Amino acid sequence: MSSAPQVEVIPSELWLFRGAASEMINAHQHDDIELNVVLGGAIDYLFGGQTVRVQHGQAAVFWASVPHRLLDTPGEHAEVCWAHVPLSTVLAWELPSSDLTQLLQGGLALAPAPVGAVQAWDSWADDLADDDPITALLEIHAMIRRILRTSRVEPSGIATTARPFRMAAHLMERFREPVAAADVAGAVHLNTEYAMTLFRRTWGMTIGEFLTRRRVAEAQRLLVTTELSTVAVAHSAGFGSVSNFYAQFAKHSGTSPGAYRTTLRAGGRY
């Protein structure tokens, strides 16, 4: 059996882009809060065990530590504004606790795009080109607050009953428990080997990789938002052993759990 494609891990940084949306072959993740504004057409994400559609005139905000993937949207010709803001920066904004918790628990906020979003993006790009990120961040901060204040969950309009989505949803619901590929396959009444192949083809990673990344994301959230010990975080996030937790956390986060907590808390308060 061929090895599974790897999830692309993007370095965390303030980043802006405006342009056409294109399908992602594999999922990716980055430790930023991501802001999308759809200027035309629509985009479809594989995100958190379901498909989510962001329509023309809508904005989306989510924590991009959750592996996500843009799907092909035939005929949409979507144009999108993207922004990535480091989590440490967002924590320093002291957003309302309910909003921040929603994001750090893997939620995706959808709302009408704020008026003037396109002009704002162009201004922010000019700020970054002039080495003035502070001005851009102040305005991004305000926009994200407005989006979170008016956000609501909207139906995607796309069927989410397909087996790959149900398998991912099963993992999202039970990642804290011991979960084997056979358990996931059984939840959708498939042969284990076929279920593994179907999952990898859809999500660009194995069932085990998806499970590990969800557990690491939960550990990141707990390290930032609670006073739990590292051992308690490991078990609360679903890791069966502390040594495996340390190894997987370092692999996916690029640092130790203790250093991650210290760095983010130095950059902001929850």
Side-chain angles (χ1 to χ4, degrees):
M1 184 179 295
S2 60
S3 60
Q6 295 299 305
V7 176
E8 183 181 5
V9 180
I10 300 174
S12 180
E13 62 177 340
L14 177 59
W15 177 84
L16 299 170
F17 179 76
R18 175 182 171 187
S22 57
E23 179 183 14
M24 295 164 53
I25 301 303
N26 298 322
H28 73 196
Q29 68 170 172
H30 43 99
D31 197 16
D32 304 301
I33 298 298
E34 181 164 337
L35 165 62
N36 301 165
V37 174
V38 178
L39 308 179
I43 55 174
D44 295 330
Y45 275 116
L46 282 178
F47 183 91
Q50 63 179 337
T51 55
V52 178
R53 169 158 288 191
V54 189
Q55 304 273 11
H56 171 221
Q58 286 186 319
V61 178
F62 58 92
W63 186 26
S65 178
V66 178
H68 52 287
R69 175 184 166 201
L70 273 175
L71 299 173
D72 184 29
T73 50
E76 291 292 350
H77 307 295
E79 183 181 1
V80 184
C81 293
W82 281 277
H84 297 173
V85 185
L87 179 61
S88 58
T89 299
V90 175
L91 290 176
W93 292 345
E94 298 185 345
L95 296 171
S97 178
S98 59
D99 292 336
L100 189 55
T101 298
Q102 176 188 3
L103 294 177
L104 296 183
Q105 288 181 338
L108 187 148
L110 279 176
V115 175
V118 177
Q119 293 77 11
W121 238 271
D122 293 339
S123 296
W124 301 341
D126 291 340
D127 292 336
L128 293 187
D130 292 338
D131 197 25
D132 180 21
I134 300 302
T135 300
L137 282 170
L138 286 169
E139 295 182 359
I140 293 171
H141 177 185
M143 182 176 291
I144 287 178
R145 276 185 178 270
R146 292 189 183 101
I147 291 169
L148 292 175
R149 189 171 64 234
T150 59
S151 65
R152 60 185 183 276
V153 177
E154 298 185 4
S156 66
I158 303 171
T160 59
T161 56
R163 282 167 168 163
F165 302 105
R166 288 160 54 197
M167 286 190 282
H170 183 85
L171 289 169
M172 292 292 288
E173 292 170 1
R174 305 191 180 194
F175 68 89
R176 296 180 182 86
E177 308 167 10
V179 181
D183 300 326
V184 180
V188 293
H189 311 292
L190 288 177
N191 169 275
T192 300
E193 185 171 350
Y194 177 68
M196 293 169 65
T197 300
L198 182 63
F199 190 95
R200 185 172 62 249
R201 185 186 306 147
T202 302
W203 290 95
M205 70 188 92
T206 66
I207 289 172
E209 287 168 338
F210 188 100
L211 183 60
T212 296
R213 289 181 179 278
R214 183 64 191 92
R215 287 172 173 166
V216 168
E218 175 66 2
Q220 291 172 330
R221 184 183 75 83
L222 292 172
L223 287 166
V224 173
T225 62
T226 75
E227 300 299 331
L228 291 174
S229 69
T230 302
V231 172
V233 166
H235 291 301
S236 296
F239 287 93
S241 74
V242 176
S243 60
N244 184 44
F245 167 58
Y246 273 96
Q248 295 298 337
F249 194 93
K251 175 182 176 181
H252 295 291
S253 303
T255 188
S256 69
Y260 183 90
R261 171 178 269 168
T262 299
T263 299
L264 286 189
R265 292 201 170 179
R269 299 184 302 280
Y270 181 77

